[in-house]
Amino acid sequence: MASSQALFDSIPTCYATVSIGTPDTPLDQKLEAIAAAGFQGIELGFPDLLSFASKRQNQEVQAQDFDTLCHVAPEVKQLVEKKGLKLVMLQPFSNLEGWPEGSDGREDAFRRAKGWIRIMEAVGTDMLQVGSTDSPHAQGNLDSLAADLRQLADLLAAKNFRLAYENWCWATHAPDWKDVWEIVQKVDRPNVGLCLDTFQTAGGEWADPSTASGLIERAGGREALQSQFMTSLQTMSRTIPSEKIYILQISDAYKPSTPLDAKPDGSGLRPRGRWSSCLRPVPFDGGYLPVVDVAKAVLRTGFRGWFSMEVFDAGPEGSDQDWKDMKAYAKKAMASHKRLLEEAAKS
């Protein structure tokens, strides 16, 4: 593999706006911290767009008030450009696929999709992140899920936009990278690719926040787990064409101090989903996932696209991130990015 400096020089850096501050933090302050740390692009989080619109309108703007969101989107575009950043992707679109034909859920999903496409055009980005559905009401097999995504892909293609499909490791139908890759192949559209993620991959296939060890517990112990995980990563490197990876999101995870309840919570969210929401730091800052192994596997495909920090860091206990110094945190994230590439460059 190339030297760490060569990797750093060739790979563009990105940071998700939802991964710094809170939704109430002014968007311009988030962008300032991200740009000052040396990142080149952002993923625009929908909660940040909603917050920005609500402040501009002096009233709460609803998630499906697409007229208002499109009205303020050009101002967001200007803020991003003023900081010298590229708006790489709008995220996270959820629960598109798997609704029965004619259902209210399906009607709502495609109404939202058409609204988000309008926002993409107004804000100046060409890529939409879609997470694999975690709805307990989703139905069907991979073919029917692919059909739903194909319909969205064709709506996006009319605007020359792309769809980056991500496995969410708590998803009800496609929790692993193999699942979303199979679906992307079934979709068979040139504007559909993958959003891979170090947390979603390692957190789904290697770790388990509901066990005392923090690992998936199976016959053969840790050695067997590690062997199976590395085999999966080798398969990833061999089978996914680099051009079908649109972005790699980066984060680690804290091992919960107390194992999470293995059952869904009152809202139906599974333990990995609860873990994801607040226990995801930058790599090399208290987490325990094999993030470097995942990054190496992705790089071995030949991918040299966006590496994007998408963290949800409320501290090791999930409750103690005060965000008093966003610039320092963003600089820490950039240092983590550089170290990740240094480690990935090692054989």
Side-chain angles (χ1 to χ4, degrees):
M1 195 172 293
S3 70
S4 60
Q5 186 61 49
L7 284 176
F8 182 74
D9 290 342
S10 66
I11 291 175
T13 57
C14 184
Y15 199 108
T17 62
V18 291
S19 296
I20 194 164
T22 72
D24 292 328
T25 303
L27 181 58
D28 61 335
Q29 293 181 18
K30 293 189 174 197
L31 297 177
E32 174 63 30
I34 292 167
F39 288 94
Q40 298 160 284
I42 65 159
E43 300 178 42
L44 178 62
F46 191 75
D48 287 315
L49 178 62
L50 273 179
S51 177
F52 183 87
S54 296
K55 289 182 174 70
R56 285 294 181 270
Q57 300 299 115
N58 293 312
Q59 63 181 1
E60 185 176 358
V61 174
Q62 300 301 310
Q64 295 200 30
D65 184 354
F66 298 119
D67 288 341
T68 299
L69 293 170
C70 289
H71 177 72
V72 303
E75 188 175 351
V76 173
K77 179 182 180 181
Q78 289 178 355
L79 283 174
V80 174
E81 291 175 347
K82 185 177 179 180
K83 298 299 181 184
L85 297 164
K86 178 179 175 60
L87 208 166
V88 176
M89 183 165 72
L90 179 65
Q91 62 108 313
F93 194 92
S94 61
N95 294 333
L96 173 94
E97 70 276 36
W99 296 102
E101 287 287 344
S103 66
D104 290 342
R106 181 178 175 81
E107 181 180 347
D108 174 74
F110 280 93
R111 183 190 309 115
R112 288 186 292 117
K114 291 172 183 176
W116 281 49
I117 291 171
R118 289 177 57 198
I119 292 169
M120 291 171 67
E121 190 169 25
V123 83
T125 188
D126 70 347
M127 188 155 66
L128 177 66
Q129 180 208 52
V130 178
S132 56
T133 183
D134 63 350
S135 171
H137 305 294
Q139 301 176 8
N141 55 27
L142 296 189
D143 289 319
S144 62
L145 300 180
D148 291 339
L149 289 162
R150 190 179 303 116
Q151 183 175 343
L152 174 58
D154 291 344
L155 292 172
L156 289 162
K159 300 290 184 179
N160 291 318
F161 292 162
R162 296 179 295 160
L163 189 165
Y165 193 41
E166 179 182 17
N167 60 297
W168 286 350
C169 62
W170 61 93
T172 49
H173 285 69
D176 298 335
W177 73 262
K178 296 183 188 71
D179 301 319
V180 291
W181 174 228
E182 183 175 354
I183 290 171
V184 164
Q185 291 176 93
K186 288 177 179 292
V187 172
D188 192 25
R189 290 292 189 270
N191 65 325
V192 179
L194 296 173
C195 170
L196 295 178
D197 186 305
T198 59
F199 169 82
Q200 306 296 355
T201 298
E205 295 186 49
W206 185 86
D208 185 344
S210 69
T211 66
S213 67
L215 305 177
I216 295 172
E217 296 181 349
R218 56 167 57 105
R222 181 162 183 163
E223 183 177 347
L225 173 66
Q226 185 68 16
S227 176
Q228 184 171 342
F229 182 61
M230 295 306 293
T231 297
S232 174
L233 294 183
Q234 290 163 8
T235 303
M236 175 193 289
S237 299
R238 290 195 310 267
T239 58
I240 303 179
S242 60
E243 65 272 15
K244 277 299 187 179
I245 303 173
Y246 289 169
I247 191 168
L248 174 65
Q249 292 179 324
I250 308 293
S251 68
D252 204 333
Y254 300 114
K255 178 177 173 293
S257 56
T258 301
L260 303 184
D261 189 336
K263 298 178 182 178
D265 65 11
S267 70
L269 190 60
R270 297 177 175 189
R272 285 186 172 91
R274 303 196 299 275
W275 186 37
S276 172
S277 68
C278 60
L279 291 170
R280 289 171 57 180
V282 300
F284 316 110
D285 196 38
Y288 75 111
L289 299 183
V291 172
V292 173
D293 290 332
V294 180
K296 281 184 176 182
V298 174
L299 289 168
R300 284 176 179 144
T301 68
F303 175 75
R304 297 295 184 270
W306 292 99
F307 268 44
S308 184
M309 284 287 172
E310 191 206 34
V311 301
F312 299 99
D313 186 359
E317 298 302 320
S319 60
D320 58 359
Q321 182 65 260
D322 57 22
W323 294 112
K324 288 181 179 177
D325 194 342
M326 292 191 298
K327 286 188 176 181
Y329 193 93
K331 289 179 180 177
K332 179 171 69 173
M334 177 55 75
S336 171
H337 167 76
K338 291 178 179 178
R339 182 176 170 187
L340 178 63
L341 293 182
E342 289 172 358
E343 296 295 326
K346 298 176 182 177
S347 59

